[in-house]
Amino acid sequence: MMIFFIVGLIVHVVFFLSIFDIYFTSPLVHGMTPQHVPLAPPAKRLVLFVADGLRADSLFKPDDNGTGRAPYLRSVIEESGTWGVSHTRVPTESRPGHVALIAGFYEDVSAVAKGWKENPVEFDSVFNESRHTWCWGSPDILPMFAKGATGDHVHTYTYPPEREDFASTDASRLDTWVFDEVKDFLNVAKSNETLLNMLHEEQNVFFLHLLGIDTNGHAHRPMSKEYLENIGLVDSGVAEFVSVMDDFYGHDGKTAYIFTSDHGMTNWGSHGAGHPSETLTPLVAWGAGVQTAQREGSHKYDDNYLKEWGLETSMRVDVNQADIAPLMSSLIGVPFPVNSVGVLPLNYLNNSQHFKAESIYANAIQILEQFRVKMAQKKETTISFLFTPYQPLSDSKQMDFMRNARNLIQKGQFDEAVKRSLGQMFLCIGLLVALFLMVQSSPWTYYIYCLLPVPVWFSVMREFETLASLVRSVPSLPLSKCFGYFLLVTFGIELLVVSFFYRAMLTLGLVVLALWPMVSGLYTKAKVRSLSWMLSCLFLAVFPLLPVVGREPDVNYVILFVCICFQMMQVVLCAYILTSTHSSLQLKQGLPLFNQLVSWLTLVSSFLIPLLSSTRLFRRLLSILMSLVCVYLLLSTGYEALFPPVLSWLMFAWINIEQETMNTQGSSNRTELSSTDFAENIDITKIRQLRLDDIRRSYFFVFFIIIAFFGCGNIASINSFDPASVYCFLTVFNPFIMGGMLMWKVLIPFVIVMCTFESIQVSTQLSSRSLFLVVLVISDLMALHFFFLVKDHGSWLDIGTSISHYVIVMSMTIFLMLLSVMTHFLTSKRILIGRKRKMHFR
């Protein structure tokens, strides 16, 4: 079993990782010649304001009284600047959004496998091409551009990470810190001759990253008073800073200003996907070299935003987010970022036609340079193979061959001879594959991907006799029943595949499963257990029809769950912690220390308490359930708090009805569930052979795993999760801890299903290896579906979604192998504390 597990794990891990090597490779190339406009630029310096998480409608739309939320920027739009909507691309996150703004290229897909903090590949940017860049803002964003810059001309000033607290009484103080620090910096420069000279050089950039709006949006939602007031604070801060800059440079008129956002935000306070509230961001430009306000003669946009925002008379110029980088380069005369794919928006420039022509020409050459380098890096190798012409054997040689084969069969040496021949044949195949890759100078990973199938198929072909016996036994099988099972499994797998796109298909599947006792005849023999199964299936079928978790937190659902389990003191305590924490955060009193301590103790104890309970089947399962439910409760924000209890009800019903199925089939090795012990060694003599019914059990398991996956939301979507889920544990922004907590929340339903499957293996006395093999076959068939559904065309969202589905199914296969080991330990091991207070495992 261990060898099977290790080999299977290695094979699936390799093919899982191959998708990252094939699809998630960096599109960036290096070696291009930087292109710049050969004419004098209109601006000596540029100020970039990025209001993190600001939606376009939140800035442009007047409030209920008809007044603008940002009066200064509104006056710029109507009098002295050019404005429009900047269209971002998925994923609408801070890091890829800032890279698109400042470097001019969209999401580097290789970052998916490398982390979200920094871009995995060095890249060029406007900051890098500038003479000096001074940055103020978040420690999560600024170091990325300083690290990728050549030299030490990018200077960053960040506040401590602890300030990024979602429970903060006033997150707008992050933006106040930025404005105050910039003003202090300019004041200090007046008495520092070296710094003053640097500031008066050309091609300088000032970058102000304003995170307060995003933090308030996550904590209070974009329609909240805190979010909207933060916009007003930023507007007044921008107005004051422009005045300070003009005074510092003596009103020389050589400063260009750009105000925009990296991404928007949904109504429920998240971002990452492609909803218009996330992809539509504001863009306002004014100052040196920027076109002044123009009156709109005719509306060229089909949406109703101009009327809704009260800007019908102002000309709107929309851009793609990556177009802002070449705009900044053109304004201050620095070379275009060599990896930029942005197209210079000429309508934002206020300059001569000659300057515009030179600018767009340099922009086009810069993009063409990338294409030339990519073509030069491609190598074509022609390989010719020499094959020995086939020569048929003469009649005498054929007779000698047949005579030797008969002798080998009679001596019982035929199998060994075949195995030796197979070994030599596959060895030759492996050598040919290696030679083919060597001639092409392929990476070492290609050797793994191409050579791994060779030993796998060799192992399959060594069992040729077994496969032949299976084929010979087909006529003796009940073909009608086999065909029926084949159709059901095919339909079931297709249903699971479709459920990745439409969650409601899981509801259909649960309704069909609810009818199983009626169809199989179990209802007449075990009405109570069958009725429990049917009701639990129908109750669970409601969850896939509910909206994705995280959009509108409502702890009332959590209280409803507590009312169901009020007798469990630990659950009641966790419910108190949850409600008091959310109440404290709403009152802006922060996260209470007592609540935080209890939450972390509950998390830690959830791994230990089950190991102290009895290993009898129902006692251990109940202990595991209650421990996991307490943690899940603390991580809940809405109806999902009801999901684990309903899932557990169905799991207990599944265990009972499977036992009833075994009894109905007249199994000779009947065992009472109440006396089943996880810790007992399984009697090998009682392990039975695989039956057709076991295929159904394996399919049920895979179906319940998918239910655990998508029951409360689509985890393939980045914005399915709400940071509010982890507020009982921490409120200071920490992507790794928060991500780990949210991942454990996803895993809890998996553990419940996996422990149930372990129980069924024990109670049905079936080899775990046999049952798990069927599960792997079903999972791999699903993975094969998604492999052929992978897209390499269309939008980034379509391509990314198709790849993520394949990755999810492949990772599920690997994950189930690892989780089986974990659940076996969780169910069968027990911590014994002796009289001498010595603790050991049994």
Side-chain angles (χ1 to χ4, degrees):
M1 181 61 186
M2 186 56 64
I3 295 176
F4 160 75
F5 172 80
I6 293 174
V7 172
L9 181 63
I10 291 174
V11 171
H12 284 86
V13 165
V14 168
F15 284 108
F16 167 71
L17 294 177
S18 68
I19 201 73
F20 292 98
D21 206 11
I22 296 169
Y23 292 99
F24 294 121
T25 56
S26 177
L28 303 184
V29 292
H30 301 278
M32 290 80 69
T33 303
Q35 304 293 321
H36 68 280
V37 181
L39 303 177
K44 291 183 177 180
R45 67 201 69 92
L46 180 137
V47 179
L48 173 63
F49 304 95
V50 176
D52 203 304
L54 177 60
R55 294 161 45 148
D57 59 345
S58 298
L59 179 70
F60 296 138
K61 185 178 180 181
D63 57 20
D64 296 335
N65 299 325
T67 58
R69 300 188 180 101
Y72 175 75
L73 290 174
R74 186 88 174 186
S75 66
V76 170
I77 292 172
E78 296 175 348
E79 300 171 7
S80 59
T82 303
W83 74 284
V85 174
S86 172
H87 297 264
T88 68
R89 293 190 183 181
V90 291
T92 46
E93 298 287 346
S94 292
R95 183 193 55 74
H98 281 87
V99 170
L101 283 171
I102 300 167
F105 67 89
Y106 296 105
E107 171 62 9
D108 183 355
V109 290
S110 64
V112 175
K114 304 290 178 62
W116 293 93
K117 283 275 190 175
E118 297 181 359
N119 208 72
V121 179
E122 289 188 1
F123 59 93
D124 193 19
S125 69
V126 176
F127 293 175
N128 185 47
E129 297 292 349
S130 67
R131 191 175 304 276
H132 296 284
T133 295
W134 290 273
C135 311
W136 294 266
S138 169
D140 296 323
I141 298 298
L142 305 190
M144 167 174 50
F145 296 98
K147 181 180 178 181
T150 56
D152 56 355
H153 64 285
V154 178
H155 315 279
T156 60
Y157 304 90
T158 64
Y159 40 74
E162 294 76 21
R163 290 196 175 212
E164 298 179 15
D165 190 348
F166 294 114
S168 172
T169 56
D170 185 14
S172 62
R173 65 182 183 179
L174 298 175
D175 301 337
T176 303
W177 182 93
V178 171
F179 288 121
D180 291 343
E181 287 292 318
V182 178
K183 288 184 290 185
D184 292 343
F185 173 78
L186 294 178
N187 287 331
V188 170
K190 294 176 182 178
S191 58
N192 187 327
E193 185 177 355
T194 302
L195 180 59
L196 188 64
N197 293 333
M198 292 170 60
L199 288 171
H200 278 84
E201 292 178 357
E202 297 182 353
Q203 300 182 339
N204 285 342
V205 177
F206 298 84
F207 173 42
L208 282 69
H209 177 239
L210 308 168
L211 187 62
I213 294 175
D214 183 77
T215 305
N216 272 319
H218 285 304
H220 306 288
R221 307 296 180 261
M223 302 303 173
S224 65
K225 174 185 175 183
E226 292 81 2
Y227 183 90
L228 299 178
E229 288 182 350
N230 203 153
I231 296 176
L233 182 145
V234 167
D235 179 73
S236 60
V238 170
E240 183 181 2
F241 179 69
V242 170
S243 177
V244 171
M245 285 287 287
D246 288 344
D247 291 341
F248 184 84
Y249 287 103
H251 297 270
D252 63 353
K254 291 295 184 180
T255 306
Y257 299 92
I258 292 180
F259 180 92
T260 187
S261 174
D262 55 346
H263 57 75
M265 187 172 289
T266 62
N267 290 338
W268 52 95
S270 64
H271 52 82
H275 191 272
S277 61
E278 300 168 271
T279 60
L280 301 183
T281 59
L283 173 61
V284 183
W286 70 100
V290 179
Q291 185 65 260
T292 55
Q294 302 291 312
R295 296 300 173 186
E296 181 68 80
S298 60
H299 301 298
K300 60 180 180 179
Y301 299 100
D302 296 331
D303 53 57
N304 296 319
Y305 291 139
L306 288 174
K307 183 177 181 180
E308 182 182 342
W309 298 339
L311 295 169
E312 299 98 326
T313 59
S314 298
M315 188 174 73
R316 167 183 162 192
V317 183
D318 285 9
V319 301
N320 292 320
Q321 192 175 44
D323 299 343
I324 298 176
L327 173 61
M328 292 191 292
S329 298
S330 180
L331 287 173
I332 58 176
V334 300
F336 294 102
V338 294
N339 299 117
S340 172
V341 296
V343 177
L344 178 64
L346 293 177
N347 289 333
Y348 276 82
L349 295 179
N350 182 17
N351 215 311
S352 65
Q353 294 298 321
H354 181 204
F355 182 86
K356 291 182 180 180
E358 290 285 357
S359 298
I360 198 67
Y361 175 76
N363 184 206
I365 294 298
Q366 171 263 323
I367 296 176
L368 180 62
E369 277 290 309
Q370 298 180 64
F371 177 77
R372 287 175 177 170
V373 172
K374 287 183 179 179
M375 292 299 102
Q377 289 179 351
K378 289 189 176 181
K379 298 178 180 179
E380 295 183 0
T381 305
T382 304
I383 303 175
S384 60
F385 293 94
L386 298 177
F387 295 92
T388 303
Y390 170 72
Q391 296 179 353
L393 295 175
S394 61
D395 293 341
S396 60
K397 290 185 177 180
Q398 290 183 23
M399 291 300 297
D400 292 339
F401 174 80
M402 294 299 295
R403 190 180 301 108
N404 292 333
R406 286 193 189 96
N407 293 334
L408 286 172
I409 293 173
Q410 291 173 357
K411 294 178 181 178
Q413 298 174 351
F414 185 71
D415 288 343
E416 292 298 327
V418 170
K419 288 180 180 179
R420 283 197 300 271
S421 300
L422 279 175
Q424 295 170 358
M425 181 180 70
F426 277 93
L427 179 61
C428 293
I429 293 175
L431 291 174
L432 287 175
V433 170
L435 179 62
F436 179 78
L437 296 173
M438 190 182 300
V439 172
Q440 294 192 108
S441 302
S442 300
W444 64 271
T445 52
Y446 284 30
Y447 288 85
I448 298 177
Y449 304 146
C450 296
L451 290 176
L452 186 60
V454 176
V456 171
W457 277 106
F458 173 65
S459 301
V460 172
M461 296 306 297
R462 287 188 64 181
E463 303 297 328
F464 176 79
E465 187 59 34
T466 304
L467 297 174
S469 301
L470 178 63
V471 173
R472 287 194 296 267
S473 63
V474 168
S476 62
L477 295 175
L479 294 182
S480 58
K481 190 175 182 179
C482 292
F483 185 70
Y485 263 91
F486 173 76
L487 289 180
L488 287 175
V489 171
T490 303
F491 169 77
I493 291 176
E494 294 298 328
L495 185 142
L496 291 178
V497 171
V498 176
S499 69
F500 275 67
F501 304 95
Y502 307 100
R503 287 174 59 214
M505 295 303 296
L506 296 174
T507 298
L508 174 62
L510 284 167
V511 171
V512 173
L513 291 187
L515 301 176
W516 170 56
M518 305 287 291
V519 176
S520 63
L522 281 174
Y523 181 77
T524 58
K525 300 174 183 177
K527 292 185 178 180
V528 176
R529 292 182 174 181
S530 298
L531 188 62
S532 176
W533 165 269
M534 296 167 68
L535 289 176
S536 57
C537 283
L538 295 177
F539 271 98
L540 195 65
V542 175
F543 287 92
L545 298 177
L546 297 175
V548 172
V549 166
R551 300 194 171 185
E552 294 296 336
D554 189 352
V555 296
N556 292 324
Y557 288 107
V558 183
I559 302 304
L560 174 61
F561 162 66
V562 176
C563 294
I564 298 173
C565 305
F566 69 94
Q567 72 275 19
M568 304 298 179
M569 293 304 298
Q570 189 181 11
V571 178
V572 174
L573 177 62
C574 291
Y576 165 75
I577 295 297
L578 178 70
T579 53
S580 64
T581 297
H582 281 270
S583 176
S584 177
L585 295 179
Q586 288 177 355
L587 296 174
K588 298 183 179 180
Q589 296 175 353
L591 173 60
L593 179 61
F594 173 77
N595 294 9
Q596 190 175 22
L597 290 175
V598 172
S599 299
W600 283 105
L601 286 174
T602 302
L603 175 64
V604 174
S605 63
S606 65
F607 298 99
L608 299 177
I609 290 179
L611 300 177
L612 297 173
S613 64
S614 170
T615 54
R616 291 296 177 92
L617 190 144
F618 283 119
R619 293 181 186 177
R620 177 54 66 92
L621 284 183
L622 184 61
S623 177
I624 294 172
L625 166 65
M626 297 311 300
S627 298
L628 295 178
V629 162
C630 289
V631 178
Y632 199 92
L633 180 62
L634 292 172
L635 293 168
S636 298
T637 60
Y639 72 83
E640 81 270 25
L642 300 172
F643 183 71
V646 178
L647 179 64
S648 302
W649 176 19
L650 178 57
M651 294 298 99
F652 278 112
W654 186 25
I655 294 172
N656 281 285
I657 205 166
E658 287 293 356
Q659 185 66 21
E660 192 63 36
T661 303
M662 293 292 295
N663 295 338
T664 303
Q665 292 175 350
S667 174
S668 58
N669 299 321
R670 297 188 181 185
T671 57
E672 292 295 331
L673 290 176
S674 58
S675 61
T676 302
D677 195 319
F678 283 113
E680 290 181 354
N681 293 325
I682 300 177
D683 188 353
I684 299 178
T685 60
K686 294 183 179 180
I687 294 180
R688 58 180 178 80
Q689 295 296 318
L690 201 65
R691 300 172 183 168
L692 283 176
D693 222 24
D694 295 320
I695 299 177
R696 174 190 56 76
R697 293 186 178 95
S698 301
Y699 176 78
F700 278 11
F701 169 68
V702 176
F703 183 85
F704 292 140
I705 285 291
I706 300 298
I707 284 287
F709 225 51
F710 295 111
C712 294
N714 183 355
I715 79 163
S717 176
I718 296 174
N719 70 338
S720 294
F721 297 119
D722 188 353
S725 298
V726 300
Y727 283 174
C728 289
F729 296 88
L730 76 164
T731 55
V732 177
F733 179 69
N734 189 314
F736 297 104
I737 296 179
M738 288 181 169
M741 298 297 297
L742 293 173
M743 186 55 63
W744 180 238
K745 179 182 178 182
V746 172
L747 294 183
I748 286 176
F750 279 84
V751 176
I752 294 174
V753 175
M754 201 70 195
C755 289
T756 304
F757 193 57
E758 181 82 10
S759 305
I760 290 176
Q761 290 181 25
V762 173
S763 61
T764 58
Q765 297 174 341
L766 180 65
S767 168
S768 58
R769 181 177 183 271
S770 301
L771 208 54
F772 209 73
L773 266 176
V774 180
V775 171
L776 290 182
V777 169
I778 296 175
S779 301
D780 286 344
L781 286 174
M782 291 177 59
L784 194 62
H785 272 74
F786 287 115
F787 180 80
F788 288 107
L789 290 175
V790 168
K791 296 181 179 179
D792 57 358
H793 60 278
S795 69
W796 196 100
L797 179 61
D798 294 335
I799 297 172
T801 301
S802 65
I803 294 175
S804 67
H805 286 164
Y806 172 76
V807 171
I808 286 173
V809 178
M810 284 298 295
S811 59
M812 183 180 74
T813 305
I814 300 169
F815 165 72
L816 291 180
M817 294 180 181
L818 298 174
L819 198 61
S820 65
V821 177
M822 173 187 171
T823 52
H824 177 73
F825 179 85
L826 198 60
T827 54
S828 62
K829 301 300 180 182
R830 184 180 182 185
I831 297 177
L832 298 177
I833 304 178
R835 294 180 180 179
K836 295 182 180 181
R837 296 186 180 180
K838 291 183 179 179
M839 186 174 66
H840 60 278
F841 286 100
R842 188 182 70 178

